[in-house]
């Protein structure tokens, strides 16, 4: 209960709370589309690849958001271009492109500026969130959620059956890049909270947990957003009370919820599955 | 009788290798048409190229007298079953409901009217008892019926089905062919990629006999003749002869 007291008293904790809940929600929502499209690695790639974008933004004295979005899109286009125009498979082209960008980013950040702390970008620190960061996250979050709500139908069909979508005239490739833009936005918004290294966990783990629990995409999205937000709050609590790295604790919270679902999910959980199998064998 | 589909001098290639060479045909409305030919004859390819799903090198496609772009929503396409994610979190009725999407504008959601219509289409294929099941829990034949229901929900004028009878049970096959014939009787045009030669004469009005080039096109009685079939399948037969198989 001390934590709630602290929340009332300290502005920095309130900012951290709002920011991390929003990050949990939008990562959960976009994560559902990412895992269903088989693009989990793409999420990892874009989050790492935006590093040079952040560095260049600092050099130019603009908000890191702009550089990150440009580089994130460049990564998505580059990966698509290599795998479509050669025999290189998409996981390999992801590996080539993102590690190059990441390496470039490390050099740029260490050489160009003393103002940015590399560790902070890599691992995040939700307790140091400024008002401007909080507003940026809330605005990005609102935009992402609005687009998903408005184009839910189009996102659903291009994810499930892109051939049908293309056959009736939807711009399937354009929608793919819209989702890539949203993914980049979500990653940028998560920088402060979990950092680039761990953002992939926020994208994949809550969505995978939800995937084990339901057979409806809309339910999956709500559950995933809820698990994301819940993990963010749990992580914030432990990191402020016990002075632990916020990103790491949040990620472990998502993992913990995932393990629960993995074991106890009524349809997919290994526990019920084992019980069912045993019952079936006994009844033969 | 109007022309449902006109394909004019169509050429398609994959990585510089020509797989469809100069194919032309023209189908009247209200016909049930089979596309047959040996493996690798380009049966699925010609369907996809006609639908604009893969680029063509040359040629012209007109649907109901209009260019494809203007008339896409009048076409329902049921692709081969194996390139879908059957673990996707979607149930049967919501899958059929996807068929109403083309006629809903951007940002519009299906409402009770669309849901009602989707359920009627599901009834048509005899799958209404399964409406809440996840699609991966169904058998192959049931899955194919659900995707036919989705095509029905599209209220299309032309129906394109790619190998709908592969790996499905007899009763599903009967249901599907009956529905296709019913569509034909209502004046719709149906194209089916098919590889089983035994039932060709029962199923189709017209045949497109293909082996990269158009071998023949016309009423099934005229096209489905031993000498023509042999000509289409010749490439494959000559391989057999080479290794000493006597036909």
């Amino acid at each position: 209960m001390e934590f709630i007291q602290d929340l009332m008293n300290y502005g920095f904790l309130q900012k951290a709370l709002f920011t991390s809940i929003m990050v949990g929600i939008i990562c959960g929502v976009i994560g559902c589309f990412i895992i269903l499209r088989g693009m989990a690695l793409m999420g990892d790639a874009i989050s790492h690849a935006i590093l040079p974008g952040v560095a260049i933004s600092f050099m130019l004295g603009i908000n890191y958001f702009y550089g990150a979005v440009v580089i994130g899109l460049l990564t998505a286009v580059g990966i698509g271009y290599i795998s479509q125009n050669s025999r290189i498979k998409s996981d390999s082209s992801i590996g080539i492109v993102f590690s190059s960008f990441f390496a470039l980013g490390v050099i740029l950040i260490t050489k160009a500026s003393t103002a940015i702390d590399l560790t902070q970008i890599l691992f995040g620190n939700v307790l140091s969130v400024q008002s401007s960061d909080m507003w940026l996250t809330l605005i990005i979050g609102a935009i992402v959620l609005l687009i998903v709500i408005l184009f839910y139908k189009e996102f659903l069909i291009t994810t499930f059956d892109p051939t049908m979508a293309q056959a009736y005239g939807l711009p399937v490739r354009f929608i793919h890049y819209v989702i890539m833009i949203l993914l980049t936005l979500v990653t940028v918004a998560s920088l402060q909270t979990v950092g680039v290294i761990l953002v992939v966990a926020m994208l994949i783990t809550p969505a995978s947990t939800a995937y084990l629990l339901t057979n409806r995409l809309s339910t999956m999205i709500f559950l995933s957003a809820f698990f994301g937000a819940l993990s963010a709050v749990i992580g914030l609590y432990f990191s402020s009370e016990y002075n632990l790295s916020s990103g790491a604790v949040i990620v472990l919270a998502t993992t913990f919820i995932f393990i629960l679902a993995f074991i106890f999910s009524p349809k997919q959980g290994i526990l019920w599955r084992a019980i069912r199998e045993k019952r079936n064998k006994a009844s033969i | 009788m109007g022309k449902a589909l006109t394909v004019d001098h169509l050429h398609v290639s994959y990585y510089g290798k020509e797989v469809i060479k100069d194919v032309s045909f023209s189908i009247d409305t209200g016909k049930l048409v089979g596309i047959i030919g040996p493996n690798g004859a380009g049966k699925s390819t010609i369907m996809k190229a006609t639908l604009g799903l893969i680029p063509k090198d040359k040629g012209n496609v007109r649907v109901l007298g209009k260019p494809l772009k203007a008339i896409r929503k009048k076409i329902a396409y049921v692709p081969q079953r194996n390139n879908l994610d059957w673990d996707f979190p979607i149930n049967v009725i919501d899958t059929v409901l996807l068929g109403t999407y083309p006629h809903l504008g951007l940002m519009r959601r299906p409402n009770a009217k669309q849901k009602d219509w989707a359920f009627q289409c599901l009834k048509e294929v005899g799958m209404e008892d399964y409406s809440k099941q996840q699609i991966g829990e169904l058998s192959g034949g049931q899955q194919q019926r659900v995707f036919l229901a989705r095509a029905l929900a599209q209220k299309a004028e032309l129906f394109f089905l790619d190998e709908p009878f592969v790996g499905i049970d007899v009763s599903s096959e009967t249901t599907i062919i009956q529905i296709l014939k019913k569509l034909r009787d209502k004046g719709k045009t149906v194209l089916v990629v098919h590889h089983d030669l035994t039932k060709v004469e029962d199923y189709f009005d017209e045949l497109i006999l293909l082996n990269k080039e158009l071998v023949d096109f016309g009423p099934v009685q005229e096209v489905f003749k031993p000498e023509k079939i042999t000509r289409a399948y010749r490439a494959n037969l000559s391989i057999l002869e080479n290794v000493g198989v006597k036909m």
Side-chain angles (χ1 to χ4, degrees):
Chain A
M1 287 312 98
E2 207 180 308
F3 179 61
I4 293 174
Q5 280 274 307
D6 289 347
L7 260 183
M8 309 291 249
N9 293 335
Y10 298 113
F12 77 92
L13 260 188
Q14 291 162 9
K15 282 177 212 152
L17 184 74
F18 286 133
T19 311
S20 51
I21 288 179
M22 188 50 125
V23 165
I25 291 173
I26 55 179
C27 281
V29 171
I30 292 300
C32 287
F33 292 105
I34 298 300
I35 68 162
L36 291 173
R37 287 172 166 251
M39 297 195 320
L41 270 175
M42 195 72 157
D44 200 22
I46 289 190
S47 60
H48 281 72
I50 60 175
L51 199 59
V54 175
I56 293 167
S57 307
F58 274 101
M59 288 178 198
L60 299 176
I62 52 176
N63 193 313
Y64 64 85
F65 170 75
Y66 300 107
V69 170
V70 170
I71 298 289
L73 266 183
L74 218 60
T75 312
V77 174
I79 290 167
Y81 187 80
I82 292 180
S83 53
Q84 274 158 22
N85 292 290
S86 70
R87 63 193 293 182
I88 310 289
K89 298 214 167 49
S90 97
D91 55 344
S92 304
S93 81
I94 286 173
I96 294 167
V97 174
F98 98 78
S99 50
S100 318
F101 276 108
F102 190 65
L104 183 67
V106 170
I107 291 176
L108 284 180
I109 281 194
T110 43
K111 274 285 165 206
S113 160
T114 48
I116 351 170
D117 179 4
L118 188 58
T119 352
Q120 183 125 339
I121 293 172
L122 294 183
F123 298 107
N125 182 2
V126 73
L127 296 176
S128 72
V129 166
Q130 307 290 311
S131 286
S132 60
D133 300 323
M134 179 184 78
W135 286 115
L136 182 70
T137 304
L138 293 183
I139 291 166
I140 290 178
I143 293 172
V144 169
L145 293 177
L146 190 69
I147 292 177
V148 171
I149 291 167
L150 289 178
F151 298 103
Y152 176 75
K153 185 161 99 311
E154 284 71 26
F155 284 7
L156 165 61
I157 191 145
T158 54
T159 305
F160 174 53
D161 192 351
T163 317
M164 177 192 170
Q166 198 189 348
Y168 83 77
L170 275 190
V172 173
R173 189 170 290 190
F174 174 74
I175 292 172
H176 168 79
Y177 284 114
V178 170
I179 291 180
M180 290 297 105
I181 294 175
L182 297 183
L183 176 61
T184 312
L185 289 175
V186 166
T187 309
V188 175
S190 315
L191 273 184
Q192 286 276 337
T193 320
V194 282
V196 296
I197 307 261
L198 293 177
V199 65
V200 64
M202 288 299 283
L203 287 166
I204 297 172
T205 315
S208 302
T209 310
Y211 184 51
L212 291 177
L213 295 173
T214 176
N215 278 330
R216 269 188 90 111
L217 180 60
S218 49
T219 316
M220 177 178 164
I221 291 173
F222 279 111
L223 282 176
S224 174
F226 172 71
F227 293 142
L230 182 67
S231 310
V233 175
I234 295 172
L236 181 63
Y237 170 77
F238 280 101
S239 84
S240 74
E241 292 298 291
Y242 300 100
N243 196 23
L244 298 167
S245 158
S246 60
V249 186
I250 290 174
V251 168
L252 288 179
T254 65
T255 313
F256 179 70
I257 301 174
F258 173 77
I259 292 171
L260 288 183
F262 188 69
I263 298 173
F264 297 110
S265 158
K267 271 205 161 166
Q268 310 287 337
I270 51 173
L271 181 67
W272 303 132
R273 200 177 276 177
I275 291 174
R276 271 199 302 273
E277 275 170 18
K278 211 169 184 186
R279 243 191 241 147
N280 286 347
K281 274 182 197 157
S283 69
I284 294 170
Chain B
M1 215 183 295
K3 291 290 178 200
L5 175 67
T6 311
V7 171
D8 226 7
H9 299 290
L10 184 70
H11 291 257
V12 182
S13 58
Y14 281 128
Y15 303 109
K17 202 178 154 208
E18 201 158 47
V19 285
I20 297 289
K21 287 178 200 163
D22 197 23
V23 171
S24 303
F25 57 86
S26 174
I27 297 170
D28 292 330
T29 53
K31 296 282 182 207
L32 179 46
V33 183
I35 302 177
I36 61 169
N39 285 334
K43 304 187 292 286
S44 295
T45 305
I46 201 167
M47 192 169 258
K48 285 182 194 151
T50 309
L51 289 163
L53 295 172
I54 53 173
K56 51 183 190 277
D57 295 340
K58 219 185 133 193
N60 190 17
V61 174
R62 288 182 84 78
V63 181
L64 298 170
K66 293 189 176 136
L68 180 71
K69 266 195 180 139
I71 201 126
R72 277 204 158 125
K73 290 176 185 172
K74 299 255 182 229
I75 306 172
Y77 172 50
V78 180
Q80 286 183 33
R81 245 177 335 114
N82 51 19
N83 39 26
L84 262 189
D85 173 11
W86 293 100
D87 288 327
F88 197 89
I90 192 166
N91 62 25
V92 166
I93 187 69
D94 286 346
T95 306
V96 179
L97 196 58
L98 297 176
T100 66
Y101 281 17
H103 293 287
L104 288 171
L106 270 184
M107 299 187 207
R108 276 201 49 214
R109 297 282 175 83
N111 58 26
K113 198 177 135 203
Q114 277 85 30
K115 285 176 188 164
D116 237 40
W117 170 239
F119 194 73
Q120 279 180 44
C121 294
L122 196 57
K123 260 189 178 163
E124 183 84 24
V125 301
M127 285 291 294
E128 69 274 18
D129 293 342
Y130 298 85
S131 75
K132 295 291 176 200
Q133 296 247 5
Q134 198 269 335
I135 50 165
E137 296 166 1
L138 306 177
S139 74
Q142 292 171 329
Q143 289 172 343
Q144 199 65 55
R145 275 147 72 186
V146 169
F147 278 81
L148 179 61
R150 184 178 78 173
L152 296 176
Q154 287 183 248
K155 298 187 177 170
E157 289 300 319
L158 282 87
F159 292 79
F160 286 62
L161 294 89
D162 196 349
E163 301 265 20
F165 305 121
V166 168
I168 73 172
D169 54 292
V170 181
S171 87
S172 289
E173 179 159 347
T174 316
T175 311
I176 291 172
I177 195 70
Q178 275 169 357
I179 291 171
L180 297 182
K181 285 182 175 169
K182 227 194 268 178
L183 286 170
R184 184 247 345 249
D185 296 341
K186 281 191 220 155
K188 315 289 184 192
T189 310
V190 184
L191 271 87
V192 180
V193 169
H194 192 63
H195 78 288
D196 176 11
L197 293 180
T198 55
K199 290 170 188 154
V200 164
E201 287 172 295
D202 300 332
Y203 284 2
F204 304 114
D205 305 326
E206 292 183 343
L207 280 185
I208 294 171
L209 183 57
L210 198 68
N211 192 354
K212 295 194 174 110
E213 299 167 5
L214 187 70
V215 177
D216 200 7
F217 164 68
V220 70
Q221 305 83 350
E222 285 171 28
V223 178
F224 199 66
K225 287 192 170 150
E227 68 272 15
K228 286 178 178 166
I229 299 297
T230 320
R231 186 142 49 90
Y233 285 73
R234 188 179 44 195
N236 304 43
L237 293 176
S238 63
I239 293 170
L240 295 177
E241 279 161 15
N242 285 343
V243 293
V245 178
K246 292 273 179 287
M247 297 298 287

